Amino acid sequence: MKSLTPYFAAAGTLIFIAVFADFLTPYDPYVQDLEGALTPPNSTNLLGTDRYGRDVLSRVIVGSQTTLCASLLLLATISTVGSVIGAICGYSGGRLDTFLMRLSDIFLAFPQMVFAIAAAGALGGGLLNAAAALAVIGWPKYARIARGLVLSIRSMTYFDAVKMSGSSSVQILFAHVFPNIAGPILVTAALDIGTIIMELAGLSFLGLGAMPPTAEWGAMMNNGRSMLQTAPWVILAPGTAIFITVATFNLLGDNLRDVLGGQR
Amino acid sequence: MILQVEDLSVAYYGKKIVRDVNFSVEKGEILVIAGESGSGKSTILKSIGGLLGKGGNIIDGQIFFDGKEITNLPDSERRKISGDSIGYIFQNAGASFCPIRKIGEQIFESVKSHRDWSKNDFIARAEEIMLKINLKPEILEEYPFKLSGGMAQRAGILAATILEPKLLLADEPTSALDIVTQAGVVKELLKLRERLKISIILVTHDLKIAKFMADKVLIIKNGSQIEFGTKNQIFNAPQELYTRELLEAANL
């Protein structure tokens, strides 16, 4: 069996940096110094400064907090809400099932990012609104997976057996249904972290997510876009950070799937 | 009379699977429902146990258990008798346990739905029964996949009988087992009847087991009742051609 330790260690380091970002920054990420604007990387500012003279390294570190925490929270919300909706649909069936599944069909029918841009735009930007827009398009996937898993559990003998033992629906859901679908849901969620980070950073890049002066990787890249030729470090630093983070979580998800044997 | 079934008809998605079946079971009696695969034997058992599932409906007839009608009980009422006064043994007992939880935990959980036993009470009672059905107490701490077919079937018997139900429904409890284990399980069931004066309805396509265990036999073909009578009537003086054919095919 493959070892997951290096992937967990890498992801753990990123999360550690995000959580303790405030203590790890060499400079205050929000203090402007217009005299020292757009300094290339050197020994004092390891990744240079942006157009307001703010230390890019500090902003990338603090930005990880915004991006990673928002993404993980968002993911936890949609995977939980989606799975619960899906599990209830699969378990109860009938009209409720039909209604919720057609609703999820409607959301799945839109190109995800286009819908998110429209929704975030309509809601008026801001990190919270961007996350809400992504949540609206994110849950149906989990509802679908959970529903399918529950339907397959329902056809198992042990499902009849717990029913025959006189357990209540709530008991059956919590003791037998949720624990049995947790594995595949977890793997799907792990594979989704990268996508969510990209989508959230993407919305911020378009100006629909985090608002200035909040340090956020997507917004930082947008800031540095016009200076790509003259001061490439401003856009390269957050870009590389996104790349490393997304790659780390995707690798973690892939290997988690191999080990847990989830389905996709 | 512990169970009476009158004119029972069952349909799946509108298609009639069982037609006008009538039979009754007395206290301490073993009724064997026999017939070919797909004849509707299991469907009859499931309608008694309330396990018809999606698309399955009792469209006609009545089922009386212990003097009360249980034909189309609402879930909340059904829950009270399921596991408590009616036990169920499945064809593949290994699959009747949730794969990710220990056997003992699962049985204890179903016990808690009906009695407020402490964990120690439960273990004491379980071990008492396990001693009688040749099951090591360590099984309670095992996961289902570790059990052999015979052990799983015995664990199934433990789960179905720990609350001393009045009626035990057994759906082909031996057909997934080898001959030696089959004999073992059959003997356990007979001992159980002696000990608890429990009534058993056993569904099987194996007429040898029927002959060995039954007090009464119900022969089913294509969802219709062919013959219902005591073991003697069915095996020594069958009235119907189909019953004779079945007996001949089984070399009885």
Side-chain angles (χ1 to χ4, degrees), chain B residues 99-114:
Chain B
I100 56 168
R101 306 180 63 216
K102 290 177 186 161
I103 300 276
E105 255 173 53
Q106 294 187 46
I107 302 181
F108 182 47
E109 185 194 47
S110 53
V111 163
K112 275 198 299 185
S113 320
H114 301 288

Side-chain angles (χ1 to χ4, degrees), chain A residues 70-80 142 188-190 192-193 196:
Chain A
S71 305
L72 290 178
L73 270 176
L74 175 62
L75 189 69
T77 313
I78 60 171
S79 56
T80 314
Y142 291 90
T188 313
D192 233 12
I193 300 176
I196 296 273

Side-chain angles (χ1 to χ4, degrees), chain A residues 63-257:
Chain A
S64 77
Q65 194 167 41
T66 324
T67 310
L68 215 55
C69 291
S71 305
L72 290 178
L73 270 176
L74 175 62
L75 189 69
T77 313
I78 60 171
S79 56
T80 314
V81 171
S83 317
V84 170
I85 291 178
I88 291 173
C89 282
Y91 184 78
S92 63
R95 276 192 203 154
L96 181 73
D97 179 30
T98 313
F99 173 72
L100 286 171
M101 283 303 117
R102 292 302 80 76
L103 192 69
S104 83
D105 281 345
I106 292 174
F107 286 113
L108 287 171
F110 286 104
Q112 291 218 354
M113 205 52 197
V114 176
F115 187 90
I117 291 169
L123 289 170
L127 199 60
L128 200 65
N129 288 343
L134 290 175
V136 168
I137 54 161
W139 70 270
K141 179 168 149 192
Y142 291 90
R144 288 260 153 206
I145 295 173
R147 179 173 176 273
L149 290 168
V150 171
L151 285 180
S152 75
I153 289 176
R154 270 183 68 145
S155 65
M156 304 270 188
T157 308
Y158 74 81
F159 189 83
D160 275 349
V162 286
K163 264 187 95 174
M164 195 58 220
S165 73
S167 303
S168 68
S169 294
V170 177
Q171 251 179 323
I172 295 175
L173 272 174
F174 279 96
H176 298 278
V177 175
F178 290 137
N180 273 305
I181 65 172
I185 294 283
L186 207 67
V187 170
T188 313
L191 285 165
D192 233 12
I193 300 176
T195 319
I196 296 273
I197 293 175
M198 293 277 275
E199 286 175 343
L200 211 56
L203 286 180
S204 294
F205 180 82
L206 294 172
L208 295 167
M211 290 291 148
T214 312
E216 201 280 342
W217 294 341
M220 286 168 70
M221 287 185 72
N222 188 25
N223 249 321
R225 190 170 44 98
S226 53
M227 299 165 289
L228 186 57
Q229 274 123 4
T230 51
W233 58 89
V234 181
I235 192 166
L236 279 180
T240 313
I242 292 178
F243 169 74
I244 292 174
T245 313
V246 171
T248 304
F249 281 106
N250 278 347
L251 282 171
L252 174 69
D254 272 349
N255 287 283
L256 205 60
R257 175 186 54 193

Side-chain angles (χ1 to χ4, degrees), chain B residues 121-140:
Chain B
D121 288 351
F122 162 72
I123 290 175
R125 301 241 189 173
E127 285 181 353
E128 195 183 319
I129 297 176
M130 292 169 94
L131 199 70
K132 288 175 183 138
I133 58 174
N134 283 324
L135 203 58
K136 291 195 210 90
E138 295 88 68
I139 300 285
L140 291 178

Side-chain angles (χ1 to χ4, degrees), chain B residues 12-243:
Chain B
Y12 270 101
Y13 296 105
K15 190 173 173 245
K16 260 197 188 180
I17 303 294
V18 171
R19 275 178 223 89
D20 300 325
V21 171
N22 287 282
F23 62 89
S24 62
V25 183
E26 305 287 340
K27 185 171 164 60
E29 210 174 43
I30 297 181
L31 168 76
V32 171
I33 304 180
E36 295 167 51
S37 303
S39 57
K41 312 179 294 272
S42 295
T43 306
I44 297 175
L45 207 64
K46 282 182 181 160
S47 23
I48 300 169
L51 285 179
L52 280 176
K54 221 177 170 186
N57 282 309
I58 297 176
I59 50 173
D60 199 16
Q62 286 166 308
I63 303 171
F64 295 94
F65 170 69
D66 212 10
K68 280 186 304 236
E69 179 167 5
I70 58 162
T71 317
N72 279 311
L73 276 189
D75 273 2
S76 54
E77 292 296 310
R78 170 65 68 179
R79 225 176 277 146
K80 286 181 196 155
I81 58 167
S82 288
D84 185 28
S85 31
I86 300 183
Y88 207 105
I89 297 178
F90 293 84
Q91 177 168 6
N92 183 353
S96 74
F97 290 102
C98 182
I100 56 168
R101 306 180 63 216
K102 290 177 186 161
I103 300 276
E105 255 173 53
Q106 294 187 46
I107 302 181
F108 182 47
E109 185 194 47
S110 53
V111 163
K112 275 198 299 185
S113 320
H114 301 288
R115 307 266 200 284
D116 45 357
W117 293 357
S118 71
K119 183 97 190 184
N120 288 334
D121 288 351
F122 162 72
I123 290 175
R125 301 241 189 173
E127 285 181 353
E128 195 183 319
I129 297 176
M130 292 169 94
L131 199 70
K132 288 175 183 138
I133 58 174
N134 283 324
L135 203 58
K136 291 195 210 90
E138 295 88 68
I139 300 285
L140 291 178
E141 292 299 314
E142 293 286 7
Y143 289 94
F145 64 86
K146 283 209 169 177
L147 272 56
S148 69
M151 283 201 287
Q153 203 54 271
R154 290 196 179 95
I157 294 179
L158 168 69
T161 59
I162 188 161
L163 293 176
E164 308 195 346
K166 292 175 180 154
L167 176 66
L168 189 62
L169 306 174
D171 190 357
E172 309 246 11
T174 56
S175 59
L177 306 172
D178 63 80
I179 297 272
V180 179
T181 320
Q182 270 187 13
V185 170
V186 164
K187 277 180 199 145
E188 307 306 349
L189 288 174
L190 286 172
K191 275 199 272 177
L192 207 66
R193 190 255 300 258
E194 288 306 309
R195 190 154 50 86
L196 300 176
K197 295 285 168 260
I198 195 173
S199 309
I200 300 177
I201 300 181
L202 184 105
V203 161
T204 185
H205 56 254
D206 187 338
L207 285 173
K208 293 198 175 86
I209 286 176
K211 192 174 183 182
F212 190 68
M213 290 190 71
D215 299 314
K216 281 187 191 161
V217 180
L218 173 69
I219 304 282
I220 296 285
K221 184 192 180 188
N222 291 337
S224 297
Q225 175 167 351
I226 299 296
E227 204 166 352
F228 173 56
T230 62
K231 179 161 79 172
N232 252 329
Q233 285 169 350
I234 300 290
F235 284 94
N236 298 331
Q239 300 297 307
E240 300 291 328
L241 181 64
Y242 181 69
T243 312

